């Protein structure tokens, strides 16, 4: 007998079930209320985009792009797929010249078809795709050189060992458009801003989004591979500190509204294109002096992105980092004034904050203001929101010179922090259970249920007749606040028995009185 497979949610994902889903709806609904009170409008972008959008915006050297993105391939046609599979599935016999030449033939055909697809536009031509394709072509050329040697000079052990390189390298040949599930939403918002010519609209464009993001990172407390974010972006021609302050005020108003009160706001300025490059070089030189005391990741970042070393979470590296030059001491006059005015605006609004010189964004388009909000109850990875000013991003993506600032809230971690603080509200729940007995009472039960639901109450109407005791037992198990009892006597007298299940108190009410009473209870 074949054992049935039990399907489960994929690692790093989860199902959000009632009543937890009610809390998520409340959290997202509150965000909409708060953000829209600041004149932000909702934008909904696709959950997948061209891979090059993220590699260009986030950075090809980042862990997000290199290790964590879910990359999809939109095939450019069946012939391309078949050509690649012929390479991967080619039967190779070690030391057999015919099988080696068959692998060369299949590989050459794949190269020819991909090049044709690139010319015809059926295959996406990006720097990233071209680099991968060039690597495969070089691998095939090397394999050909090994096989084409005179028979007496062939080294079959080298040929045999290189077969797997060619086969696995076939997967690097682009056979269509490269798409990726979005690891974040700022790039998508900026793409939409450019595509729809939103810079021509009056004023700053104030946008917010709610939805799932995807990163293949190690799952941990409050972190998932499909995770959810609520974010906001302001795009326009001004970088006034008052804009930054309003964004931060809105964020903290929202956190206060949902009961996420045990939080700390950290702010910093990372300068701009006039002062940050000089600081980065100074930092790189100082890091070279302590390179041997740093871990492998930090050593690599000295060359690729030294600012990211400041954000290291490795305990042994923190004392070293504390001795490094601080960017606040190397800001140009304009950035120093901008940061000072931001703090003035925050003080004017009564917003508490702490300065954190290590709070950086390591990408070139980030400028000046950066910020982060941490919450209690989440361990060492306690950030629930991060953001900053990114005045160069829209231009980097091919749009007009545009100023921008935004943030992203981790919904999963924020709700977890609210729950662990004990401040999560009790939401929803079943208001009324209709216990009907006898087929003659069923039409009245249906009519009352429809009217109560129209008034906004959650109502459970059993589809089949149940014994009285069993029916009330189910009402109690479902957590109903009230039971409306409808039997033949109630139908005859045109009154209904309303029972409050918490204390068993009962009263007889006419239909109009019943509706009025339960509606008033709903409003409390």
């Amino acid at each position: 007998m074949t054992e049935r497979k039990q399907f489960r949610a994929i690692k790093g994902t989860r199902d959000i079930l009632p009543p937890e889903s009610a809390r998520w709806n409340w959290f997202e609904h509150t965000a909409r209320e708060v953000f829209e009170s600041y004149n932000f409008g909702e934008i909904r972008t696709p959950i997948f985009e061209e891979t090059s959008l993220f590699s260009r915006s986030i950075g090809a050297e980042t862990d997000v792009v290199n290790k964590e993105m879910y990359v999809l391939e939109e095939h450019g046609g069946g012939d391309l797929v078949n050509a690649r599979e012929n390479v991967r599935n080619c039967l190779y016999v070690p030391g057999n010249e015919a099988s080696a030449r068959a692998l060369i033939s299949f590989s050459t055909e794949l190269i020819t078809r991909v090049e044709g697809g690139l010319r015809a536009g059926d295959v996406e031509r990006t720097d990233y795709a071209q680099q991968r394709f060039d690597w495969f072509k070089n691998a095939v050329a090397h394999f050909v050189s090994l096989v084409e040697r005179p028979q007496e000079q062939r080294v079959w052990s080298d040929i045999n060992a290189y077969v797997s390189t060619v086969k696995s390298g076939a997967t690097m040949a682009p056979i269509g458009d490269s798409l990726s599930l979005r690891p974040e939403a700022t790039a998508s918002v900026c793409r939409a801003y450019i595509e729809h010519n939103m810079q021509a609209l009056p004023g700053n464009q104030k946008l917010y989004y709610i939805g799932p993001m995807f990163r293949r990172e190690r799952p941990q407390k409050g972190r998932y591979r499909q995770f959810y974010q609520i974010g906001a972006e302001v795009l326009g021609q001004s970088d006034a500190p008052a804009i930054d302050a309003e964004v931060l005020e809105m964020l903290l108003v929202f956190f206060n509204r949902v009961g996420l009160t045990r939080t700390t706001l950290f702010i910093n300025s990372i300068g701009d294109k006039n002062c940050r490059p000089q600081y980065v070089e100074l930092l790189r030189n100082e890091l070279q002096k302590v390179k041997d005391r740093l871990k492998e990741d930090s050593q690599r970042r000295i060359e690729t992105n030294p600012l990211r070393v400041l954000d290291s979470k490795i305990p042994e590296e923190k004392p070293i980092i504390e001795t490094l030059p601080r960017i606040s001491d190397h800001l140009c006059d304009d950035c120093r004034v901008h940061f000072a005015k931001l703090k003035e605006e925050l003080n004017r609004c009564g917003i508490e904050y702490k300065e954190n010189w290590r709070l950086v964004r390591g990408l070139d388009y980030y400028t000046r203001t950066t910020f982060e909000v941490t919450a209690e109850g989440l361990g060492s990875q306690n950030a629930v929101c991060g953001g900053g000013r990114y005045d160069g991003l829209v231009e980097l993506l091919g749009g007009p010179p545009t100023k921008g600032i935004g943030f992203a809230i981790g919904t999963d971690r924020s709700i977890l922090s609210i729950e662990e603080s004990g401040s999560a509200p009790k939401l929803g729940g079943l208001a009324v259970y209709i216990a009907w007995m006898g087929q003659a009472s069923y039409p009245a039960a249906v009519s009352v249920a429809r009217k109560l639901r129209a008034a906004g109450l959650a109502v459970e109407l059993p589809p089949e007749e149940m014994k009285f005791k069993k029916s009330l037992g189910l009402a109690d198990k479902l957590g109903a606040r009230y039971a409306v009892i409808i039997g033949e006597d109630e139908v005859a007298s045109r009154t209904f028995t309303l029972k409050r299940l918490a204390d068993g108190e009962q009263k007889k009410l006419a239909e109009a009185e019943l509706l009025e009473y339960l509606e008033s209870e709903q409003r409390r």
Side-chain angles (χ1 to χ4, degrees):
M1 183 176 178
T2 304
E3 184 179 351
R4 280 189 173 182
K5 175 180 174 63
Q6 183 176 5
F7 291 99
R8 296 182 179 276
I10 296 169
K11 183 180 180 181
T13 68
R14 62 169 176 154
D15 302 307
I16 301 171
L17 309 176
E20 185 184 7
S21 55
R23 188 162 295 153
W24 280 66
N25 288 332
W26 157 79
F27 188 82
E28 293 171 353
H29 177 71
T30 306
R32 287 188 167 93
E33 285 186 333
V34 172
F35 294 176
E36 289 173 11
S37 74
Y38 283 78
N39 196 32
F40 280 69
E42 184 176 8
I43 182 172
R44 301 189 183 196
T45 62
I47 66 168
F48 57 86
E49 302 267 8
E50 293 181 36
T51 299
S52 56
L53 174 68
F54 301 117
S55 61
R56 183 177 297 182
S57 62
I58 301 172
E61 298 299 324
T62 61
D63 286 347
V64 172
V65 171
N66 277 333
K67 301 177 182 178
E68 297 173 2
M69 282 207 308
Y70 285 95
V71 180
L72 313 172
E73 204 167 43
E74 191 170 60
H75 295 156
D79 289 342
L80 280 165
V81 176
N82 293 335
R84 187 168 71 177
E85 291 307 299
N86 285 340
V87 177
R88 296 177 62 191
N89 298 325
C90 179
L91 179 62
Y92 175 75
V93 179
N96 183 279
E97 182 175 350
S99 62
R101 293 193 178 279
L103 181 58
I104 291 173
S105 177
F106 285 135
S107 300
T108 303
E109 181 188 6
L110 174 58
I111 291 170
T112 300
R113 289 192 178 277
V114 171
E115 288 176 338
L118 288 167
R119 286 193 299 271
D122 295 331
V123 176
E124 183 182 27
R125 185 183 291 276
T126 65
D127 292 342
Y128 180 68
Q130 191 65 53
Q131 288 171 6
R132 289 165 61 89
F133 187 36
D134 288 344
W135 188 96
F136 173 64
K137 288 195 292 184
N138 290 335
V140 172
H142 181 67
F143 184 71
V144 170
S145 70
L146 293 176
V147 176
E148 292 294 341
R149 287 177 179 175
Q151 191 167 356
E152 64 275 8
Q153 294 179 13
R154 283 187 196 142
V155 182
W156 280 103
S157 59
D158 291 347
I159 295 173
N160 297 339
Y162 210 72
V163 167
S164 61
T165 301
V166 174
K167 286 188 171 187
S168 61
T171 61
M172 300 181 71
I175 62 172
D177 291 340
S178 178
L179 309 176
S180 290
L181 297 180
R182 62 185 184 193
E184 55 92 41
T186 299
S188 297
V189 172
C190 289
R191 189 266 309 149
Y193 178 85
I194 298 167
E195 181 177 346
H196 300 287
N197 198 31
M198 296 178 75
Q199 74 273 11
L201 299 174
N204 289 323
Q205 298 309 299
K206 301 164 76 172
L207 307 167
Y208 75 87
Y209 58 83
I210 297 174
M213 313 294 157
F214 306 86
R215 292 186 189 180
R216 196 183 187 284
E217 57 183 348
R218 183 173 63 85
Q220 52 186 295
K221 185 177 182 180
R223 287 186 181 271
Y224 300 90
R225 290 175 173 175
Q226 177 177 321
F227 59 100
Y228 295 82
Q229 285 187 344
I230 298 175
E233 319 286 349
V234 180
L235 296 163
Q237 297 306 306
S238 174
D239 62 354
I243 297 174
D244 305 27
E246 183 181 77
V247 166
L248 289 169
E249 180 189 58
M250 181 179 76
L251 174 63
L252 296 179
V253 166
F254 167 63
F255 280 156
N256 187 65
R257 187 82 59 87
V258 295
L260 192 60
T261 55
R262 300 184 301 165
T263 59
T264 304
L265 168 64
F266 294 97
I267 64 171
N268 191 28
S269 176
I270 58 171
D272 61 12
K273 61 183 180 181
N274 296 316
C275 56
R276 190 168 63 246
Q278 293 91 326
Y279 170 74
V280 169
E281 282 308 307
L282 173 64
L283 179 62
R284 180 180 282 116
N285 291 336
E286 293 301 313
L287 285 168
Q288 289 288 359
K289 298 175 183 178
V290 295
K291 181 176 180 179
D292 294 342
R293 296 163 58 192
L294 301 174
K295 301 296 183 182
E296 184 178 344
D297 271 354
S298 291
Q299 290 182 356
R300 174 175 55 82
R301 286 170 176 159
I302 292 174
E303 296 303 324
T304 61
N305 204 337
L307 285 175
R308 297 302 301 169
V309 179
L310 302 181
D311 198 33
S312 171
K313 302 296 190 293
I314 300 173
E316 297 90 334
E317 293 187 343
K318 291 182 179 179
I320 302 171
I321 292 170
E322 284 298 324
T323 67
L324 296 171
R326 302 190 173 200
I327 194 168
S328 55
D329 298 328
H330 298 273
L331 297 175
C332 63
D333 290 342
D334 288 345
C335 290
R336 190 177 295 109
V337 169
H338 187 278
F339 194 43
K341 288 185 176 179
L342 169 63
K343 290 184 282 188
E344 285 179 15
E345 294 285 349
L346 295 177
N347 292 334
R348 184 178 292 113
C349 297
I351 296 173
E352 295 183 3
Y353 60 87
K354 293 182 179 180
E355 292 186 50
N356 178 4
W357 72 277
R358 290 180 56 189
L359 184 57
V360 297
R361 294 289 183 266
L363 305 180
D364 288 344
Y365 59 76
Y366 274 108
T367 59
R368 297 183 174 174
T369 306
T370 60
F371 56 90
E372 183 176 82
V373 177
T374 62
E376 295 183 18
L378 295 174
S380 59
Q381 299 290 323
N382 59 353
V384 292
C385 177
R389 178 161 285 286
Y390 47 85
D391 293 345
L393 179 54
V394 171
E395 195 169 1
L396 178 68
L397 297 177
T402 303
K403 311 294 185 182
I405 185 171
F407 63 77
I409 299 167
T411 305
D412 307 78
R413 297 173 66 74
S414 297
I415 292 177
L416 178 61
S417 182
I418 294 169
E419 290 171 343
E420 294 194 353
S421 70
S423 59
K426 292 183 179 179
L427 300 166
L430 181 59
V432 179
Y433 180 95
I434 298 181
W436 60 276
M437 281 76 64
Q439 287 299 319
S441 66
Y442 182 63
V446 171
S447 176
V448 169
R450 291 182 64 188
K451 292 173 182 176
L452 290 174
R453 286 166 175 161
L457 283 88
V459 178
E460 177 69 16
L461 174 66
E464 298 177 317
E465 184 178 5
M466 300 171 64
K467 292 183 178 179
F468 181 68
K469 186 175 181 180
K470 184 178 180 181
S471 188
L472 288 187
L474 178 58
D476 191 54
K477 289 178 181 178
L478 291 175
R481 296 194 294 278
Y482 292 93
V484 174
I485 300 168
I486 305 177
E488 293 179 359
D489 292 342
E490 282 77 13
V491 172
S493 63
R494 296 186 178 181
T495 60
F496 303 98
T497 301
L498 179 67
K499 181 174 184 177
R500 188 163 58 201
L501 295 177
D503 57 14
E505 179 185 318
Q506 292 188 182
K507 58 181 71 178
K508 290 269 190 181
L509 297 169
E511 181 177 303
E513 294 173 322
L514 175 72
L515 295 174
E516 182 181 353
Y517 180 84
L518 288 175
E519 285 182 36
S520 66
E521 286 293 294
Q522 172 80 347
R523 290 192 292 268
R524 288 184 183 181

